[in-house]
Amino acid sequence: MLNGNGNGDVLVLAVESSCDETAAAVVKNGREVLSNIISSQIALHTLYGGVVPEIASRKHIEKISQVIEEALLEASVTLDDIDVIGVTYGPGLVGALLVGVAEAKAIAYAANKPLVGVHHIEGHIAANFIEHRELEPPFFSLVVSGGHTHLVRVKDYGKFDIIGRTRDDAAGEAFDKVARAIGLGYPGGPKIDQAAKKGNPEAIIFPRAHMADSPYDFSFSGVKSAVLNYLNGCRMKGEEYCQADVAASFQRAVTDVLVENAMGAAEEFHVDKFALAGGVASNSALRAAMKTACEKRGIKLYYPSPVYCTDNAAMIGAAAYYEYRDGTRHGWDLNAVPNLKLGER
Ligand code: KG4
Ligand code: ZN
């Protein structure tokens, strides 16, 4: 029996604080979300056009206990009912991660519960388990967030091979930077998604980078610079540019490369299940393009609802359950690891 309450169910209290969301959730058996509380700092960081690490850490400290209490309350459980404490311990902003890790350790120690540290990307991938009960490894995943762009072969729960990764900017980072340049503000991804709906994705041809030596790697700094150059060119000529066309054309350039690389890997590795993950997985153009590409090849496509795409603790609870089931336990020396590698324990 995995749990301490005798009924066979495993309840994870999960904590996530790696960037600008303070989040806690209660998840049953890795798949059923009993509560999912997210305190977003977006409004605060909008003032500065991006996440300010020191401010993020301070805000996490203010919010974390309250968010955990709310998660327990909404799930109608007490700490006694909880079997495992799961927490993101990397990658992310070190000061932000430390708040969640310290809190989770304190709770686990005081309540005498096992502690399971979770890799943030493993959490993003596990977000797909919440609403797709039938999804089980092996499958492929494209993890596209503000900090990461990874093409991952999920061999089993908690077992990964990274097939491709970005050489420079993450996809979400490129969205955020371009959004700022065309005056849409932070966070840019959802705003570009919206603006692009009114634009022509073929109005401007922005570059699509392909790595000759590594076909599944990505690079988004070129397309970002091309957008900045285009805007500068317009300014120098005294011409107005069409915000919606720039947004749509940029979005098309990014999604084309994401889909091409994902499908290239899918064909080489004979993939029959593909899961999108991370904040950019809620992008409507990416979802539509992946849907068409997967349908053409007979691949079943999965993606989480937007609330489970961007940072949340339910996904950490899902990943923590499978890590716990696999025997992962962390000690009181668990530390924040800002550049933690996927698959490391
Ligand atoms: O996964 P996430 O919440 O944080 C990280 O782990 O980085 O992802 C946040 C990123 C931001 O860059 C945001 O602009 C992007 O996801 N994003 C989107 C959309 N919604 C969020 N990008 C494109 N289209 C969207 N609809
Ligand atoms: Zn994330």
Side-chain angles (χ1 to χ4, degrees):
M1 190 175 298
L2 281 167
N3 72 351
N5 57 34
N7 62 7
D9 288 332
V10 175
L11 285 192
V12 177
L13 170 64
V15 176
E16 153 67 40
S17 70
S18 65
C19 191
D20 59 347
E21 260 94 33
T22 321
V26 177
V27 179
K28 188 163 140 186
N29 301 330
R31 302 257 174 177
E32 191 181 335
V33 177
L34 304 189
S35 64
N36 185 33
I37 309 295
I38 304 167
S39 169
S40 174
Q41 306 177 359
I42 284 179
L44 200 63
H45 298 289
T46 299
L47 287 172
Y48 306 95
V51 178
V52 184
E54 182 59 27
I55 294 178
S57 316
R58 285 169 191 228
K59 208 66 198 169
H60 285 312
I61 292 173
E62 271 176 41
K63 289 283 177 188
I64 194 129
S65 301
Q66 186 191 331
V67 162
I68 290 170
E69 274 171 30
E70 267 182 61
L72 291 170
L73 200 69
E74 196 175 299
S76 303
V77 298
T78 67
L79 202 48
D80 281 347
D81 304 314
I82 297 293
D83 301 292
V84 182
I85 311 292
V87 64
T88 309
Y89 73 110
L93 302 169
V94 66
L97 286 164
L98 272 171
V99 177
V101 169
E103 182 86 5
K105 284 200 289 190
I107 294 173
Y109 182 75
N112 195 23
K113 308 281 179 188
L115 176 71
V116 173
V118 173
H119 191 289
H120 184 75
I121 298 293
E122 185 174 345
H124 273 303
I125 295 171
N128 281 285
F129 297 141
I130 295 168
E131 293 162 302
H132 308 297
R133 303 282 164 100
E134 76 284 9
L135 177 63
E136 300 215 40
F139 58 90
F140 255 63
S141 184
L142 176 66
V143 188
V144 270
S145 73
H148 311 272
T149 307
H150 283 8
L151 197 48
V152 182
R153 184 184 197 180
V154 184
K155 293 181 289 186
D156 201 344
Y157 292 106
K159 308 266 181 306
F160 310 98
D161 282 337
I162 299 175
I163 305 294
R165 49 158 48 94
T166 182
R167 300 278 181 93
D168 39 58
D169 289 356
E173 197 179 348
F175 269 93
D176 293 337
K177 287 176 179 167
V178 166
R180 193 172 347 162
I182 60 175
L184 287 171
Y186 170 86
K191 292 186 173 158
I192 290 203
D193 198 346
Q194 272 314 107
K197 291 191 191 342
K198 291 175 231 108
N200 173 8
E202 282 156 21
I204 312 147
I205 304 302
F206 290 126
R208 279 95 168 134
H210 292 283
M211 310 293 129
D213 54 335
S214 176
Y216 307 126
D217 277 357
F218 304 94
S219 165
F220 297 110
S221 67
V223 61
K224 177 195 66 188
S225 303
V227 173
L228 298 180
N229 288 342
Y230 174 82
L231 299 177
N232 265 338
C234 291
R235 272 182 213 115
M236 279 160 60
K237 286 184 266 175
E239 288 172 6
E240 288 278 317
Y241 64 85
C242 173
Q243 193 188 51
D245 282 352
V246 176
S249 302
F250 159 77
Q251 182 172 269
R252 174 65 65 81
V254 171
T255 52
D256 272 359
V257 174
L258 290 172
V259 176
E260 260 172 53
N261 287 12
M263 291 302 107
E267 280 170 13
E268 182 180 335
F269 293 92
H270 308 291
V271 171
D272 61 355
K273 286 178 277 179
F274 210 106
L276 293 176
V280 185
S282 51
N283 183 269
S284 57
L286 177 62
R287 287 178 179 220
M290 279 296 286
K291 190 164 173 280
T292 308
C294 284
E295 269 169 10
K296 211 166 107 190
R297 293 167 178 83
I299 300 170
K300 177 105 179 74
L301 177 69
Y302 298 87
Y303 43 75
S305 293
V307 68
Y308 298 126
C309 284
T310 43
D311 288 351
N312 66 87
M315 67 184 199
I316 303 303
Y321 168 80
Y322 289 104
E323 285 290 341
Y324 174 72
R325 210 180 65 166
D326 205 33
T328 303
R329 305 286 184 274
H330 284 97
W332 310 130
D333 58 349
L334 179 69
N335 205 351
V337 184
N339 55 357
L340 185 66
K341 302 282 171 292
L342 189 62
E344 262 179 28
R345 299 262 159 96

